Amino acid sequence: MSYLYTFKDQKGLREVIKPGDVTKYIGLGILTLEAGESYKTKTYDKEVVLVILSGKANLKVDDVKYENLGERKDVFSGRATAVYIPRESFYEVIEAQGEKLEIAVLSAVAEKKFKPFVVKPEDVVVNHRGVPGYQRDVHDIIVDNGEGRVDRIVVGETFSYTGEWSSYPSHKHDAYNPPEETMMEEIYFFKVNPPEGFGVQVMYNDDLSLRDAYIIKDKDAVAIPEGYHPVASAPGFAVYYLWVMAGPHGRKLTPKDDQKLVKAMKK
């Protein structure tokens, strides 16, 4: 079974990964609007986070209005603006500056309903992680700041350094074994800079019954319901991935590193 979803151009909303396909709790869609276009829908039993990838938007969530959201021309030019939309809510997105608008629509099956809110670029928490060979900058969009404000969903962005690995040393979070590991599904949505380049998504488990690698191109996505999942960027190219996580046992991520790999690295 392939967990790779290659890019397909489509106007309006393209549902890339639906909850219930290979993931139980989470989904990914990409909303593309041209100048002045709008899109309206309902969240039903899912909480949704809209992450503005490029462009500027006006939003209406039930009776709450947000205007002129979005400050970056692409994901590599700044921190994200995002909007949290609770379950059982109507929302409308309107392109606001007369140019193309691209938004990632991240969803998680939710049981509790909260209030909508906006995450501004200055609210995003930036962490530099790793050492030369596997350096990256991780942007927490809705992570710790979501406690008591969202039900399940966890969202952020990772900016890998050119020619280096990220999500490394390899880790997984597919088993509930507290306090060593939690169970959370994950989806990655990729951008590559320049877009002609590529990255590599590796996926494997301890007994290697899962042992895959995918060539990642601009706007591809990968579902991660199981296994270790490091990412490599080709030399000369930066790889970005937006990530969404959710699971049945709370929002705190407790990943388990590949212990064989970690021990071998220390030799």
Side-chain angles (χ1 to χ4, degrees):
M1 179 178 184
S2 176
Y3 293 130
L4 173 66
Y5 295 76
T6 56
F7 169 66
K8 295 178 182 178
D9 194 14
Q10 180 178 322
K11 292 183 179 180
L13 178 68
R14 180 171 71 93
E15 289 191 280
V16 182
I17 302 172
K18 299 178 182 179
D21 289 348
V22 298
T23 54
K24 180 179 179 180
Y25 295 99
I26 54 176
L28 164 71
I30 301 298
L31 177 63
T32 305
L33 299 178
E34 300 296 335
E37 291 184 338
S38 63
Y39 173 81
K40 183 185 294 186
T41 190
K42 186 179 180 180
T43 57
Y44 297 100
D45 64 341
K46 300 172 185 66
E47 56 186 352
V48 169
V49 175
L50 303 181
V51 177
I52 299 177
L53 303 174
S54 62
K56 193 175 288 287
N58 294 333
L59 265 85
K60 183 178 180 182
V61 182
D62 291 329
D63 295 327
V64 181
K65 293 182 179 181
Y66 305 103
E67 295 185 343
N68 295 316
L69 298 178
E71 298 183 8
R72 56 187 183 179
K73 63 179 182 179
D74 57 57
V75 298
F76 296 98
S77 64
R79 302 182 189 185
T81 300
V83 181
Y84 173 79
I85 305 172
R87 61 169 286 160
E88 301 297 337
S89 299
F90 289 96
Y91 72 91
E92 183 177 15
V93 181
I94 304 169
E95 191 284 321
Q97 66 176 358
E99 297 181 8
K100 189 174 182 178
L101 172 66
E102 186 178 38
I103 292 178
V105 182
L106 309 173
S107 61
V109 176
E111 298 173 359
K112 299 177 182 178
K113 183 173 182 178
F114 294 84
K115 294 181 180 180
F117 62 88
V118 173
V119 178
K120 298 179 180 179
E122 58 266 30
D123 300 325
V124 175
V125 177
V126 177
N127 297 287
H128 177 75
R129 293 179 182 163
V131 298
Y134 51 97
Q135 294 182 93
R136 66 275 197 189
D137 293 321
V138 179
H139 291 200
D140 290 349
I141 297 175
I142 298 181
V143 184
D144 292 342
N145 61 330
E147 286 302 306
R149 305 174 74 191
V150 310
D151 191 15
R152 281 194 172 101
I153 201 163
V154 180
V155 176
E157 298 175 320
T158 295
F159 296 81
S160 298
Y161 285 31
T162 175
E164 300 201 8
W165 289 80
S166 62
S167 291
Y168 193 88
S170 305
H171 68 264
K172 71 181 186 77
H173 35 82
D174 60 9
Y176 184 60
N177 185 27
E180 296 181 356
E181 183 180 2
T182 191
M183 182 187 294
M184 297 186 95
E185 301 171 334
E186 191 164 20
I187 293 171
Y188 286 169
F189 173 72
F190 293 90
K191 295 274 192 173
V192 181
N193 188 29
E196 295 80 7
F198 68 94
V200 177
Q201 173 76 70
V202 176
M203 297 179 68
Y204 67 96
N205 55 20
D206 287 315
D207 64 8
L208 297 184
S209 57
L210 172 64
R211 184 179 177 177
D212 293 333
Y214 305 121
I215 296 174
I216 297 300
K217 298 291 289 182
D218 193 54
K219 299 184 182 181
D220 286 347
V222 170
I224 308 169
E226 61 173 318
Y228 303 101
H229 44 276
V231 176
S233 57
F237 299 93
V239 171
Y240 152 100
Y241 48 98
L242 173 67
W243 38 269
V244 55
M245 293 185 286
H249 303 291
R251 299 184 61 255
K252 182 173 177 56
L253 175 64
T254 308
K256 181 181 179 181
D257 288 344
D258 182 343
Q259 294 303 314
K260 293 180 181 178
L261 186 73
V262 172
K263 290 177 181 178
M265 289 171 64
K266 295 179 178 179
K267 291 182 179 179

